[in-house]
Amino acid sequence: MYGFYIKELRITGPGKEDAVLILEKGFNVINGPSNTGKSYIFKCIDYMFGADMLREIKESKGYENIFLEIRDFKDDTPITILRYMNKKSILYTFSDIGNFYNTKQHKLKEDHDPNGDDNISKFLLKLIGITENKYMLSNKSGKKKTLGFRSIVNLSMISETKIISDTESPVFNKIKTDETYCKSVFKFLLTTFDDINCEEIEKAEIRKAKIDSKIEYINNEIKKLTEEKFALQKQLEVASFEKIVDINEYSEEIEKIEKLIVEKRNDIIDKQNIQNKLNLQRNQLSLLLDKFKILNDQYKSDLERLSFLQTGDDCLNQIHINSCPICNSKIDDNVFNEEFSLEILDASQQEKAKINLHILELNKTIESTILEIDELESTNKTYEQEINKCKQDVEAFIVRELTPLRSVLKAYLEVVNLENKVKSIEERFVSKNEELINLSKAKKQKQLKIDYKSTIPSAILNDFSGEIFNTLTEWGYEDLENVTFDEMEQDIVINNQARKNNGKGFRAFFYAAFSVSLINYLIDRKLPFSRVLLLDSPVTTLKENDSKDATNKDDEMIDVSMQDSLFIALSKKSSDRQVIIFENKELPQQVEKCNHIEFTKGKSVGRYGFFPKNNSNVTISSNNL
């Protein structure tokens, strides 16, 4: 069960005795004569629920702080709100009033802010089960503003002046420009659908200003396009190029030349590949030639060694060795004899002959290799000349034939590009002029109306009207035939007569029926709404008549049983809400469940009023019957 009820209202001030009002769940009646503070209590609660200001009265002078203790309807968890007299600061704690200063305090802002939770409006909306922003239509152009708790107060706290008004509807507040918003709030409460999907249309002056701005912007664009076109035309006039009759002929010629160039370049690549192979062969032969020369040098060295052996043998024959120079043992003279020397000389001579033959063959091979290398270099040189010739041919193709053709084509394409730009600008001219024509037509059109209907389905209105019918029946209204809801006036019609066309006594009585039926309707369907209903003087202006005179034409003369039935019915059916009635009239004896607080305005009997009389000798009479 969502929602809260008011447990206590307490006003304090330095040197002042607290003014205290204790309320309970269910039915509460505060009655007493005029000027006992009943209406001030109503205004204090209104102030604590976000009203802008609280008028000072004589009795409130010196008081500074207003505490309002509210409690969760389901588990009685207390929350105390403190607001200073006509100051913006609002504080709250999760405690009862007695422990307010012993508990962590939180700040709340006075003004509704849909983008934050730290304001009294969003704080109270959450407590009654509206946790997300709801968007209400606020004018006929589709402008929206978010639901605030003050719109809930407008339907749940009915002042003594509004309840008898013959101009105000129960749905509207006193502000004429808020009528669309109030209708949207009433629709949301009965249907749960807000107006978030309504698209706003602009005001006529804003729309006209935007169109004028667009027209000015387009005219500036046309001016820039005109200047750009003039510059392009100047470039076209000075552009020089060879007139190309058939662009395809030029393209084919360029393609033909490019093909020849490609062939030449491929020929160059082929010849360069052959050159590479020839160079590789030449390098291999050069390497081989180097090896031949080294071998030739080795042969010559061997001949020198053999010649040395022959010369050495003569020297050895002249030397006589008798003993070993190492072990000093005697050496036989037959070891180095003449026969041995002849064998060495013969072998050396044969070896020299073989080497000379190898040298002769090697020299022939060297000469042959040198000739082969010379032939390779000559061939390579020929290819180099052919490659240079191909390169010259390619350069000639490019310089003499291809470049001029390309230049002609480039100039031609530049001109074509300029012509296309001019054509594009001319097309944009047409488009911009069409936009200007459409904007001029739009400027002359009447203000558009939003394509959106914010109405309550007739079935729901019939159900709600039926709820009011049942309430009036229960309250003893005789000869009741029908109750309907006038969407134009946003008010009820009883027996085909508008509520506001009745006398003030019945206007107030019917208004009370509307408010009680609204809370019945919403609670029965578990729709979010305040469970606190305050009615100031719903039957005060009704004139009681114990024996109704059938000839009495005064519509304010009412059977006394009707106002009694109102109190009795509310006392029986208020267990799931809190109904607070401020009334001058006495309660009927049949009321069984009621927190009855009576102000006597007497100095010695009962409670004088809301404020302690002279701040002393105050007696509070709270009659819980």
Side-chain angles (χ1 to χ4, degrees), residues 183-202:
K183 286 174 63 176
S184 182
V185 171
F186 186 59
K187 184 202 73 173
F188 165 71
L189 291 173
L190 292 183
T191 65
T192 71
F193 294 114
D194 66 358
D195 301 304
I196 191 171
N197 294 323
C198 177
E199 294 185 5
E200 182 179 358
I201 59 172
E202 296 172 321

Side-chain angles (χ1 to χ4, degrees), residues 271-396:
K271 286 181 168 56
Q272 287 175 335
N273 290 334
I274 294 173
Q275 272 190 311
N276 292 334
K277 291 179 180 177
L278 293 175
N279 287 331
L280 179 62
Q281 292 178 11
R282 185 199 58 189
N283 293 337
Q284 290 174 341
L285 290 174
S286 296
L287 183 61
L288 187 61
L289 184 61
D290 291 340
K291 291 181 179 178
F292 289 161
K293 290 179 179 179
I294 293 171
L295 182 60
N296 192 29
D297 291 340
Q298 287 179 349
Y299 284 155
K300 290 178 179 179
S301 176
D302 290 343
L303 288 176
E304 289 175 355
R305 180 177 50 81
L306 292 171
S307 297
F308 174 75
L309 287 176
Q310 291 174 347
T311 305
D313 181 67
D314 292 338
C315 294
L316 287 173
N317 289 332
Q318 297 174 15
I319 298 171
H320 296 279
I321 300 172
N322 296 322
S323 58
C324 178
I326 298 173
C327 63
N328 201 28
S329 59
K330 187 175 178 62
I331 299 175
D332 188 357
D333 291 338
N334 294 326
V335 172
F336 301 105
N337 56 29
E338 184 176 355
E339 186 180 353
F340 178 71
S341 297
L342 289 174
E343 288 177 357
I344 292 174
L345 290 173
D346 183 53
S348 298
Q349 194 63 35
Q350 291 179 13
E351 184 67 19
K352 285 178 67 175
K354 289 181 182 176
I355 292 172
N356 285 326
L357 182 60
H358 289 330
I359 290 174
L360 181 62
E361 292 175 351
L362 181 61
N363 286 335
K364 290 179 181 177
T365 303
I366 288 173
E367 290 174 359
S368 172
T369 303
I370 291 172
L371 287 173
E372 192 173 352
I373 290 173
D374 290 342
E375 288 177 0
L376 288 173
E377 288 181 345
S378 176
T379 305
N380 200 354
K381 188 174 181 181
T382 301
Y383 278 110
E384 184 67 28
Q385 291 172 349
E386 292 176 357
I387 289 171
N388 289 334
K389 178 65 170 58
C390 288
K391 288 182 178 178
Q392 291 172 0
D393 291 343
V394 170
E395 184 68 20

Side-chain angles (χ1 to χ4, degrees), residues 257 392-405:
I257 295 171
Q392 291 172 0
D393 291 343
V394 170
E395 184 68 20
F397 280 134
I398 294 173
V399 174
R400 291 199 304 269
E401 299 183 38
L402 189 59
T403 299
L405 284 173

Side-chain angles (χ1 to χ4, degrees), residues 379-534:
T379 305
N380 200 354
K381 188 174 181 181
T382 301
Y383 278 110
E384 184 67 28
Q385 291 172 349
E386 292 176 357
I387 289 171
N388 289 334
K389 178 65 170 58
C390 288
K391 288 182 178 178
Q392 291 172 0
D393 291 343
V394 170
E395 184 68 20
F397 280 134
I398 294 173
V399 174
R400 291 199 304 269
E401 299 183 38
L402 189 59
T403 299
L405 284 173
R406 283 179 173 174
S407 298
V408 171
L409 274 181
K410 182 180 178 183
Y412 170 77
L413 292 175
E414 287 177 352
V415 171
V416 170
N417 186 38
L418 290 172
E419 290 176 343
N420 287 336
K421 286 183 177 179
V422 171
K423 185 179 179 181
S424 173
I425 289 175
E426 289 172 345
E427 291 174 351
R428 292 171 66 185
F429 273 140
V430 174
S431 175
K432 296 297 175 187
N433 284 322
E434 288 177 352
E435 286 185 51
L436 284 177
I437 293 171
N438 292 332
L439 288 171
S440 298
K441 289 179 179 178
K443 190 175 177 181
K444 294 176 182 177
Q445 288 177 347
K446 293 182 179 179
Q447 177 67 7
L448 300 174
K449 293 182 179 180
I450 59 172
D451 184 18
Y452 180 82
K453 291 185 178 179
S454 178
T455 56
I456 303 171
S458 57
I460 292 179
L461 284 178
N462 290 337
D463 288 346
F464 177 60
S465 299
E467 188 72 45
I468 299 172
F469 187 96
N470 294 335
T471 299
L472 289 173
T473 302
E474 192 174 23
W475 290 359
Y477 184 76
E478 297 178 349
D479 303 325
L480 181 61
E481 297 177 356
N482 58 68
V483 177
T484 57
F485 186 82
D486 186 339
E487 287 191 82
M488 181 69 73
E489 296 294 328
Q490 292 290 297
D491 205 342
I492 54 176
V493 178
I494 303 95
N495 289 346
N496 302 317
Q497 179 168 306
R499 181 191 67 86
K500 288 184 286 190
N501 291 340
N502 290 275
K504 61 182 178 182
F506 276 101
R507 288 199 298 272
F509 187 77
F510 292 146
Y511 199 136
F514 172 91
S515 299
V516 170
S517 300
L518 178 61
I519 198 169
N520 287 344
Y521 184 92
L522 298 176
I523 288 178
D524 288 348
R525 289 161 179 76
K526 302 185 185 307
L527 300 177
F529 189 61
S530 174
R531 287 180 181 269
V532 180
L533 175 64
L534 284 86

